[in-house]
Structures are given as structure tokens and as C-alpha cells.
Amino acid sequence: MSTMENQVPVFEGIPSSEDLARIADLLVQAGLETIELSDGMGARCFMRVPAPAPALVSGAQVATAAAPVEVPSSDIAVKAPYFGVLALTDLAEIGTVVRQGDVVGQMRIGTLQVPVTVPVEGTVVDVVGQEGVLTGYGAVVVRVEPAA
Amino acid sequence: MSDMQRFKRVLIANRGEIALRIQRACRQLGLETVAVYSEADVDSRHVREADVALCIGPAAASKSYLDREGLLLAAKVTGAGAIHPGYGFLSENADFADAVEAAGLTFVGPTGDSIRMMGDKITAKRAMRDAGVPCVPGSDGPLPASAEDVRAVALEVGFPVIVKASGGGGGRGMRVVHTVDELEDAVALTAKEAQQAFGNPTLYLEKYMQKPRHVEIQVLCDTHGTALWLGARDCSLQRRHQKVLEEAPAPGIPPETIAEIGERCVQACRQIGYRGAGTFEFLYEDGIFAFIEMNTRVQVEHPITEETTGIDIVAQQLRVAQGGMLDVRQEDILMQGHAIECRLNAEDAATFMPSPGTVTRWDLPGGPGIRVDTHVINNYTVQPYYDSLIGKIISYGATREQAIARMRVALAEMRVEGISTNIALHQDLLADPKFQDGGVDIHYLERWLAERAPS
């Protein structure tokens, strides 16, 4: 263990991905499953290497996001890239044919405007966002059925 | 104070139990709340109950709770007049405090200058010493050149002493010296190492505290010259610098001693023009208090002080931020009874690994003297992105024994399923005879855990 202590990088905030990978390799070499790093301020970082399988980093306890909600239809949700008061454009109409990069709305905060852009070519099948309403990050603005 | 309202709507720039705590205080004062949250916290209780709730970014704190520009824009677009930072995140970020005020909003906390001064250990310590707050006895500057003079300094401070390199840090460039005979060699060796490691042989010397306790003083100041101290908390039970269980008052320390330290703390507050809530942290050993640092925000463990003084610290923070006067006088503050806080963490009882997941059962304890501050409700999902604190149980009793007894009943009543918690650890700690005696040092918990470890 003492040899490992000397090799593990000094813990000052969240280690870089390179450091994490290095620490994970050291864990495997030392035959250890978990390591806990902490600094003088109480910050902590845990790592766990999958028990029998060698090598890969399981990450610093940063789990994946919640399971994706199953969407029966094939349309795509176009989400607000920022929060703000939503101003829809003329393209935000059911039936409108849109191309990749088209702007269907603006998220406005004072003079700041962040465009809501369509990621794929297709047809607007639903307008979920409401004009003039304060809208949060990640809220669905329109749904687009991609062109075949 | 009712006639002066600087703000009517408060943006809570935090999450979890403290966000809910702040929301409750706002409600009680008739203030509206804005809950800003990350995508991961959409189902949080305070978000659902807020007057305005706005998702400001993804789960990563850097793009949500730590996004200074985003928070200011969120305040603007929601019409909030004040920002309460809670603890952690941006609560002790001086630049953020300045930016909030520069945007014409009220920062619920001290000025950026106060935060900056206390954030720098050297300026903080100097300010404290100037105000008569006790610091670790030591050489008060670089060690003199002659061995004779060094010896005189060390003898005055009293052994053991610790010799440290001015340019050092992170545990390097320091040496503990137990007797006067070892001193000269130790100083020479440390100076040589300091020169090699940091290119600077300058050393200083301090009293080495072997088994200190962590004792802290809560203060509360308004902008009209009133500065109050609200008694002491003992937060010695720590694991890896994280507090686990806290109590107020600090067992075995005479109230007159705390009063003397408290007076010096508020004197320091007056000198630096401090406003709002704050905490002076000390190491305490053999009757000596040594200032470590000041926390310029509300603390996780503030409820135990609320229980022993009857003062709602978060509501007072908001009153002070409104420009109001504290309507309590020092002589009216009675520190009565005893309070204990157990921090509940979603973590593995043996390995302390975080244990995120969905809480399938969440039965809370109750009865006289029991308070639970938590944002968790049944079916809540503990997120892996943030710290593992899921709540705090606070017990209050007329005596320490009663507070302990009530806490033990409360912990036994609490039922949590779906995630692992540290409830069993708290139960074992409360049953520990040394803890029951009171006054354990800051290394006690780690030693106790090591002795319990299976191998």
C-alpha cells in the first residue's frame, strides 16, 4: 500500500481523466478493488474497479443518467439549449418542413438570445413550447419527424 | 423592518436539504422563492414547492449550481431581488458575491471583501490576531537565525512544537519536535529540506496540538453595528475532514470560556465590518483555543445552535440582507439545553462509498425534541452527481444525556430502504462510552473506525 501511496497523484480537486485512468491501473496492479482519495478540505473521490475484470476505469462514482424514457414514435424532441423566455419562430408550426440548423425558437433573457435549432431535416409534428413563457433548460420546444 | 423590503423574491442557488431549509425561512418571512435546479434535481421537493422553478442546466454542477453567469441571468429572468447561496457551491466565492451586488441584487451573505479576506489563511489569521482572537501560539513570523533565540521562542510556546517551512504545504516541509534537545537538529534539517523542496529555507514554529477538539463559534451580524455570538458547537467527530456528528454546546468547556472567545469573535466581526451569519472554527486543547478559519456562510450544523438558542439563523440571514436590524441583544440570548446533529449520508456503512438510488421507504422519527431537516421523500432518487448528505436528525434535550437518549430512539425509529445509509454508524457512536463521556478529539472517529475494521 505504501508504494501505491507514492504513485497516486496528489488529490487536489477532481482528478483529470488521465489521472483517474492511472489510479485505476494502479488499483488493478495492486489487486485492490476500491480507493478513496480525500483532501484537507473534506472533498472526496471514490473509485471502484469491477471485481474480477481488469483494466477499465469504472469512473469516479459518476453514474450514467436515468434510463431513457421509451418513446414509441420515431420523432425527435428539439430541446431548449438554455433557459429563458421562449419566442417561437414561423417554423414552429405543425406540418412545417425544416432542415438541419433551422431555428424554431429563441430563448430570451433581456437582450440575450439563444437559438433553438433543429438537429435533423424533417417535419414539425408537435409544438410543445409555449410562446412568451419562461422555459427551462432541456424543455421540449418542438418535435420533428425526421425525413425518411 | 417591515417597511424596508429590499427584495420580495429570493433565488435559492443551491439544492438538497439546505435549499428546502432556505425556502422554509423565506416562506415564513413572506418572501417568494425561485428554485433553480439541474436536470437531475427536477423531482426535488423544494423545486416542486417553489413559487418559481427553473431548470438552468444539466446535472454537472459546473453547468448549473456553479454557473455564475447562468445564476445571474436566472435571477434577472425570474425577477428575483436576492440570491441565497446556502453552503458549498458558490457560497464562499467572493467574485460571485461581488457580481451579484454589481448586478443590483442582494447577496444573502457577507461582502465579497469579507469573503476574500477570510478565504486567505494569512490575511484571515492576521485580522483575527489584530482583533484579539486567539491563534495557535507560535513564532509569529520567521524563526530567528540564532539557535539560542529559536530555543527561547520554542520554550515560550511550549513543547511539543511543529517547525514548518513558510513555502511548504500539503503536509510537506514540517517536523514535530517533542523536546528542547531535538530542536536545533530539527530546525537545521527542516531548513535544508525546505531549501531543497521549495527553494526557500524560511521556517516558522507553532505549538503542536496533539489531540485537539474542533470547537466553533456561531456569529450573526447586521449592518447596523450589532454583532452577536450564539454559543459553541463541538464538531470533533470527523472522518476525512468531513463532520459526521455535531453537538452544542461543547461538552466540558466552561460557559465563561466560550463567552470570552465569543466576545472576541464578535469584536473581530465589528472590526472587519462583517455582516450575516458566520462561523469561527478553532482547535481546542488543554484550555487553549487556536483559530483555524472563518466560514462566511450558513453551516450544515447550524440547526443545533438554533435549538439551543431559539434563533432561526436562516431567517435572520434574510432579515440582515433586507437591511433590517437584529432584534435580539446578546444578554437576551440564553444558551439552554443540549442539541446533537447526526448527518445522514447515502453511503455504504462499511466502505463509505456513496450509495445513490431510489429510496423505497422513508419513515422519519418524531417525538419531543426531534427535528429532521431533509429534502428526501418516499420514492426520491438520491443522485450520484452531488454529495451524499440526505438529511440531518437533530435531537434536543434539557441535558446532554437526554439529547443522546432522544437521538438513540430517533435513529432506531428511522426506516430507510432502497439505499444504504450511515444510521448504524451513528447508533454505534452514540453507544460508545468515550463519546458518552464527551470531549473526544478530532482523530477519535478515525481511530475508532480503524479498531472496528475487520482486518
Side-chain angles (χ1 to χ4, degrees):
Chain A
M1 192 62 207
S2 60
T3 53
M4 220 185 125
E5 269 170 21
N6 299 330
Q7 294 172 55
V8 172
V10 177
F11 180 68
E12 289 165 333
I14 300 301
S16 67
S17 49
E18 292 81 32
D19 280 348
L20 285 173
R22 244 175 77 207
I23 298 167
D25 286 344
L26 289 169
L27 273 184
V28 173
Q29 284 164 20
L32 298 170
E33 276 182 30
T34 63
I35 190 169
E36 177 181 3
L37 306 171
S38 62
D39 68 8
M41 303 300 288
R44 296 189 295 166
C45 174
F46 287 94
M47 290 180 69
R48 173 155 46 199
V49 178
L56 284 178
V57 191
S58 74
Q61 198 62 25
V62 178
T64 51
V69 181
E70 220 166 290
V71 183
S73 66
S74 57
D75 59 33
I76 286 172
V78 180
K79 294 178 176 178
Y82 208 68
F83 58 90
V85 176
L86 179 62
L88 295 168
T89 67
D90 294 345
L91 297 179
E93 289 263 358
I94 292 177
T96 307
V97 175
V98 287
R99 285 174 305 180
Q100 187 185 349
D102 275 354
V103 175
V104 292
Q106 298 279 355
M107 309 306 296
R108 292 184 175 160
I109 306 170
T111 53
L112 177 74
Q113 295 202 23
V114 181
V116 183
T117 54
V118 178
V120 289
E121 186 180 340
T123 307
V124 175
V125 293
D126 194 8
V127 180
V128 183
Q130 289 180 287
E131 174 72 23
V133 170
L134 179 57
T135 303
Y137 166 88
V140 179
V141 177
V142 300
R143 306 193 77 90
V144 170
E145 179 72 44
Chain B
M1 113 123 250
S2 55
D3 52 320
M4 43 194 307
Q5 282 248 321
R6 286 186 185 165
F7 51 87
K8 292 190 171 65
R9 190 175 266 196
V10 179
L11 183 144
I12 302 166
N14 215 298
R15 61 176 303 282
E17 70 89 20
I18 195 63
L20 182 59
R21 171 75 187 87
I22 295 164
Q23 180 149 283
R24 283 175 174 150
C26 289
R27 290 268 154 81
Q28 195 195 312
L29 296 172
L31 297 167
E32 294 176 342
T33 59
V34 176
V36 290
Y37 61 96
S38 78
E39 273 186 312
D41 283 330
V42 60
D43 291 324
S44 272
R45 186 170 169 193
H46 89 283
V47 170
R48 289 194 202 172
E49 295 172 357
D51 293 298
V52 180
L54 182 64
C55 181
I56 57 165
S62 60
K63 290 181 176 162
S64 48
Y65 301 107
L66 289 171
D67 178 4
R68 297 186 236 176
E69 196 190 343
L71 289 164
L72 290 173
L73 287 169
K76 184 175 182 178
V77 79
T78 58
I83 295 183
H84 195 309
Y87 52 66
F89 295 124
L90 292 170
S91 61
E92 291 183 285
N93 187 307
D95 293 339
F96 180 64
D98 284 342
V100 170
E101 305 256 313
L105 307 170
T106 300
F107 182 74
V108 183
T111 61
D113 285 344
S114 290
I115 298 173
R116 214 168 272 120
M117 174 188 270
M118 291 305 150
D120 181 302
K121 287 219 169 188
I122 294 167
T123 57
K125 213 167 163 181
R126 193 175 300 140
M128 290 308 118
R129 196 168 275 137
D130 289 348
V133 173
C135 297
V136 190
S139 56
D140 293 339
L143 280 184
S146 93
E148 202 55 42
D149 293 345
V150 172
R151 186 175 307 156
V153 170
L155 284 171
E156 196 188 325
V157 167
F159 287 91
V161 297
I162 184 160
V163 179
K164 294 182 183 178
S166 280
R172 298 199 304 155
M174 51 180 68
R175 181 163 276 107
V176 177
V177 185
H178 292 275
T179 65
V180 70
D181 301 333
E182 305 164 27
L183 187 65
E184 196 171 338
D185 288 348
V187 168
L189 197 55
T190 312
K192 196 173 153 196
E193 285 172 357
Q195 175 63 47
Q196 283 168 356
F198 316 112
N200 174 6
T202 311
L203 303 177
Y204 64 102
L205 171 158
E206 282 177 349
K207 171 96 184 162
Y208 179 62
M209 301 178 93
Q210 292 168 291
K211 291 184 168 186
R213 289 163 65 183
H214 175 116
V215 176
E216 58 186 33
I217 306 277
Q218 174 76 51
V219 295
L220 193 57
C221 311
D222 66 16
T223 49
H224 304 275
T226 300
L228 307 169
W229 57 273
L230 307 184
R233 296 185 287 254
D234 188 324
C235 314
S236 299
L237 286 168
Q238 302 182 5
R239 178 181 174 273
R240 301 213 165 203
H241 301 283
Q242 294 258 14
K243 294 166 186 170
V244 173
L245 180 154
E246 303 98 336
E247 58 185 311
I253 304 180
E256 311 83 67
T257 307
I258 296 299
E260 199 189 317
I261 297 292
E263 280 304 327
R264 294 191 187 188
C265 292
V266 295
Q267 187 53 40
C269 289
R270 289 189 195 100
Q271 283 189 18
I272 64 173
Y274 192 80
R275 69 173 193 214
T279 300
F280 288 78
E281 295 192 332
F282 294 92
L283 292 178
Y284 173 82
E285 185 176 334
D286 297 334
I288 294 174
F289 278 88
F291 172 79
I292 320 171
E293 62 178 9
M294 181 179 192
N295 292 319
T296 54
R297 53 168 164 85
V298 70
Q299 292 200 237
V300 176
E301 61 271 24
H302 75 276
I304 53 176
T305 300
E306 295 185 323
E307 294 304 314
T308 50
T309 60
I311 291 174
D312 182 332
I313 293 171
V314 182
Q316 294 296 345
Q317 281 189 297
L318 290 161
R319 284 217 180 88
V320 167
Q322 289 278 26
M325 290 173 77
L326 290 169
D327 48 10
V328 200
R329 290 174 307 174
Q330 187 69 56
E331 51 269 38
D332 298 332
I333 301 172
L334 299 175
M335 284 144 238
Q336 283 183 320
H338 200 94
I340 298 174
E341 171 181 277
C342 290
R343 296 191 186 195
L344 299 183
N345 293 332
E347 63 188 18
D348 185 276
T351 65
F352 297 94
M353 291 270 287
S355 169
T358 299
V359 179
T360 53
R361 183 171 177 185
W362 185 250
D363 298 355
L364 296 180
I370 294 298
R371 161 179 171 182
V372 184
D373 279 17
T374 178
H375 58 296
V376 175
I377 51 176
N378 209 9
N379 287 320
Y380 174 83
T381 298
V382 178
Q383 297 295 334
Y385 310 103
Y386 314 107
D387 70 57
S388 54
L389 184 74
I390 50 172
K392 308 176 306 204
I393 302 181
I394 300 107
S395 73
Y396 176 80
T399 61
R400 186 170 186 264
E401 290 66 37
Q402 190 178 37
I404 291 175
R406 283 175 169 172
M407 182 64 87
R408 294 181 76 173
V409 174
L411 290 168
E413 267 182 37
M414 178 108 193
R415 290 278 178 282
V416 185
E417 289 171 14
I419 55 166
S420 301
T421 74
N422 60 345
I423 289 175
L425 171 75
H426 283 298
Q427 289 180 300
D428 292 349
L429 254 179
L430 288 161
D432 178 65
K434 285 265 171 48
F435 169 77
Q436 290 180 352
D437 288 347
V440 297
D441 68 75
I442 57 171
H443 308 298
Y444 183 75
L445 179 56
E446 300 241 17
R447 283 200 307 268
W448 184 79
L449 287 168
E451 281 163 21
R452 275 160 46 108
S455 60

